Amino acid sequence: MTFFRLILRELASQKMRLALTTGAVAWGTIAITLLLAFGEGLERQMIRGTRGLGENIVIMGGGQTGRAHAGLPSGRRIALSMDDMHLLRAAFPEITSITAEYNTWGATVGYNGRDHSAPLSGTTPEFGAMRNHIPAAGGRFINALDEEQKRRVAFVGDKIAGEVFGEQDPVGQMITINGTPFTVIGVMQKKQQNNMYMGPDNNKLTIPASTFQAMFGPRYVRRIIYQMTDGLTSEDLEPRVLAFFATRFRYHPEDDRALWFWDVAENERTTRMVFLGVNGFMFFIGAMTLLISGVGIANIMYVAVRERTREIGTKMALGGERRHIIWQFLCEAMAIALSGGLLGMLLSAALIKAAGYLPPEKFSDLFGQPEITWFWTLLTVAILSLVGFFAGYFPARKAASVNPVEALRYE
Amino acid sequence: MNSNSAPLVHLDNIEKSYRTGKVSVRALEEVSLRVNPGEFITIVGPSGSGKSTLMNILGCLDVPSAGTYRLEGTDVGKLSRNELAKIRNRKIGFVFQNFNLLPYATAFENCEVPLIFAGLRKEERKNRIDRYLGRVGLAARAEHRPTELSGGEMQRVAIARALVNEPSLILADEPTGNLDSASGRGIMELFRELNAEGTTVMMITHDEHIAAHSPRLVRIADGRVDGDTA
């Protein structure tokens, strides 16, 4: 297209100004792109952390009744057992997997004549996948046979494993838990975990529920954990679970203090909402920077209109209508805005790629891996187009309104 | 020439006044003029005589304060800015004293500008440009920029640009004013040839020597027609 070729050549004829304004736009674009990429990386890091506890799981347990019911006073403790877990599984086909957990604080772990203290869980094999206790290579989580035969096997968190075994491979080693010998069957794979109870999972030991029962004899589990079919949210199921246990424990079916529910997916939703706000704010700051660079474009466009008054007059004499003159300056401003934006995006991408080469403990463990997303890129392009449009429109309108006679006489 | 045919240009009692501050300056008074298709007419007058104002009105760059100007029967005084632009584009070919070529565009591209404004397709644009750059003898210079051309060549490009939309009227404002005499003679010769081929040419000059050769001479002095050899 001759039209665009000429625009490019007009732009090329004022290299210094072109470089400065394109640079300003590129700078603004780098600001907005990096802010958003880091925001995105941090969000993913946080989400991954939220998921460390488990994805889409609901954790529940017994509370204290909040109102008197059927002749029983309020403030009565409700405690759930392994049987309740089985009842729940049988009653709700919507529940796809379920597990329960016994706990004790401060079990004594002995190895090589040294003692360590760590929280201990007794649970069923489903727990591993639901709570993201993924075994590192060479190990495994508790299985059905362990549970059935009350085996004395232990799955250990990676942090406590490091403290107890040092550089040694823990799998297959014998330890004692409160004096009873156990075999280590697996070590948890390192994971990011932001939400927790009884401390982070990397510091815990896990043994089969049946073994825990035999050793400590607890009547009640600390919590039941379940996962629902896709598409269901905890709010759908909570009132029904509450009502389901109401007759069994004789509390009012709507007494929401009788049981507590922790919807872990809710944490993820909250994190997303927070980051939507944070990213929105960063986008706003970046957009402001771009707006300022737009003022720079408008400025040189005004100068260009003045300097090329005679050329505008010539074009008018040759039959250039208002739209032709406007279109020309508009396209020039858009070209500056979009090429500056493209330059900025390429530079940002390079910077982000470079950040990926930094050692993880210095960078990505803290900030996550920054990432340029389509959503924010398209929004940035939209802002750039808008900035280019307005930076070009007003000077263009001025150009189109000059008097051709005076413009032709202009020196 | 058939003087009974409808006039191409019909100026009837044209008046043009400018207001500078509180004073109103009258640049043209009671100017009436008829130009028939195919004429070669030279408007001559000293600077400040109003001939440039007349040129602007004839070229539809400006509209008269009073009186009517009909170009091929159309009263241009009643047209909007964009309609005037369309008239300039289709019916008038401008040739300026200082050429007014786009410095960053080649001869070809300079000729292409009015064709783009006219909305012609690429192939048709190329046909026209080839024809008229050829007509002014610059087919070989199509890809040259103005800085690579001599003054005479630049003016030839400008003439080709004025011709590409095949206008009814060529308006040349001191076309030889910035040229050496040899190039100037060449340009005048080109205008005469174009006129012989049927193009109506109106030329404005203050140079009596150039004016002397014109078949029809209109003298302007103090904003009035001071003589017409027609």
Side-chain angles (χ1 to χ4, degrees), chain A residues 16 27 47 52 77 95 99 121 143 147 157 168 171 175 184 207 222 224 230 271 288 300 372 381 390 406:
Chain A
M16 189 61 184
W27 178 250
I47 295 284
R77 281 189 181 282
I95 292 178
T99 183
S121 292
N143 64 24
E147 174 68 10
Q168 222 175 355
V171 177
I175 52 170
V184 175
I207 61 174
R222 282 290 176 86
I224 291 173
D230 284 345
T271 308
M288 285 296 132
I300 86 145
I372 299 175
V381 171
F390 283 107
E406 281 163 24

Side-chain angles (χ1 to χ4, degrees), chain B residues 123-138:
Chain B
E123 315 83 72
E124 179 60 14
R125 294 205 299 260
K126 184 165 170 21
N127 286 341
R128 295 274 189 98
I129 297 165
D130 287 347
R131 187 186 315 156
Y132 289 102
L133 270 182
R135 178 62 196 84
V136 301
L138 284 180

Side-chain angles (χ1 to χ4, degrees), chain A residues 93-304:
Chain A
E94 298 94 326
I95 292 178
T96 51
S97 45
I98 193 164
T99 183
E101 189 182 4
Y102 298 114
N103 275 124
T104 177
W105 284 96
T108 306
V109 182
Y111 179 71
N112 242 351
R114 289 182 61 186
D115 282 352
H116 302 264
S117 181
L120 180 71
S121 292
T123 189
T124 63
E126 288 91 337
F127 187 90
M130 293 173 71
R131 286 272 285 95
N132 269 331
H133 278 47
I134 314 293
R140 65 171 178 86
F141 193 69
I142 292 156
N143 64 24
L145 222 56
D146 297 332
E147 174 68 10
E148 200 186 304
Q149 302 182 352
K150 300 180 192 170
R151 283 179 178 164
R152 291 198 299 270
V153 291
F155 181 83
V156 296
D158 49 307
K159 184 160 169 275
I160 184 78
E163 285 169 18
V164 174
F165 300 101
E167 295 294 292
Q168 222 175 355
D169 184 4
V171 177
Q173 299 293 325
M174 293 294 286
I175 52 170
T176 59
I177 297 174
N178 287 4
T180 311
F182 274 78
T183 308
V184 175
I185 52 169
V187 178
M188 192 177 75
Q189 209 174 70
K190 189 169 157 48
K191 72 174 178 184
Q192 191 79 29
Q193 184 187 8
N194 293 355
N195 301 308
M196 54 194 72
Y197 52 82
M198 299 187 78
D201 291 345
N202 62 14
N203 203 31
K204 287 183 199 169
L205 269 73
T206 311
I207 61 174
S210 56
T211 315
F212 193 100
Q213 174 69 37
M215 274 178 76
F216 299 95
R219 289 174 63 193
Y220 302 113
V221 295
R222 282 290 176 86
R223 58 195 69 79
I224 291 173
I225 302 168
Y226 62 79
Q227 223 161 16
M228 293 157 293
T229 43
D230 284 345
L232 276 179
T233 63
S234 187
E235 287 94 79
D236 300 328
L237 217 56
E238 262 181 47
R240 292 172 56 204
V241 172
L242 195 66
F244 172 74
F245 281 124
T247 25
R248 183 169 162 82
F249 294 107
R250 287 196 286 170
Y251 58 79
H252 190 276
E254 284 166 17
D255 184 351
D256 57 9
R257 290 171 63 185
L259 300 175
W260 55 264
F261 292 88
W262 178 7
D263 179 9
V264 174
E266 177 65 27
N267 291 335
E268 187 173 326
R269 281 195 292 276
T270 311
T271 308
R272 282 192 192 283
M273 285 305 288
V274 167
F275 270 94
L276 190 67
V278 170
N279 286 343
F281 181 67
M282 288 182 171
F283 182 75
F284 178 75
I285 294 174
M288 285 296 132
T289 317
L290 279 184
L291 230 57
I292 292 167
S293 68
V295 174
I297 301 181
N299 197 22
I300 86 145
M301 292 316 291
Y302 273 117
V303 173

Side-chain angles (χ1 to χ4, degrees), chain A residues 288-359:
Chain A
M288 285 296 132
T289 317
L290 279 184
L291 230 57
I292 292 167
S293 68
V295 174
I297 301 181
N299 197 22
I300 86 145
M301 292 316 291
Y302 273 117
V303 173
V305 167
R306 201 171 54 236
E307 281 189 351
R308 302 211 314 248
T309 302
R310 194 188 186 107
E311 180 188 317
I312 295 165
T314 306
K315 283 184 173 167
M316 285 176 164
L318 297 177
E321 293 167 39
R322 191 181 157 75
R323 65 190 164 103
H324 294 123
I325 309 291
I326 284 187
W327 189 231
Q328 175 197 343
F329 286 99
L330 210 53
C331 284
E332 285 186 26
M334 295 285 280
I336 294 174
L338 292 178
S339 58
L342 183 69
L343 182 69
M345 281 179 194
L346 291 176
L347 285 174
S348 306
L351 280 172
I352 285 166
K353 186 118 179 98
Y357 291 114
L358 291 172

Side-chain angles (χ1 to χ4, degrees), chain A residues 2-3 5-6 9-10 310-311 314-322 324 400-405 408, chain B residues 56 61-62 81-82 85-86 88-89 94 96 98 100 102 104-106 109 112 114 116-117 125 145 161:
Chain A
T2 310
F3 182 75
R5 201 167 63 230
L6 288 180
R9 254 187 254 154
E10 281 165 20
R310 194 188 186 107
E311 180 188 317
T314 306
K315 283 184 173 167
M316 285 176 164
L318 297 177
E321 293 167 39
R322 191 181 157 75
H324 294 123
S401 63
V402 302
N403 179 335
V405 174
L408 277 169
Chain B
N56 290 335
L61 288 166
D62 208 348
R81 257 179 94 107
N82 274 344
K86 281 197 173 74
R88 292 195 294 268
N89 183 239
F94 284 93
F96 303 96
N98 42 25
N100 279 346
L102 304 181
Y104 45 82
T106 62
E109 288 161 348
E112 204 170 1
I116 291 173
F117 291 156
R125 294 205 299 260
R145 303 228 186 150
R161 180 176 69 178

Side-chain angles (χ1 to χ4, degrees), chain A residues 78-105:
Chain A
I78 305 293
L80 303 172
S81 66
M82 273 290 171
D83 291 340
D84 295 317
M85 187 264 280
H86 292 302
L87 284 172
L88 204 56
R89 192 207 303 266
F92 289 93
E94 298 94 326
I95 292 178
T96 51
S97 45
I98 193 164
T99 183
E101 189 182 4
Y102 298 114
N103 275 124
T104 177
W105 284 96

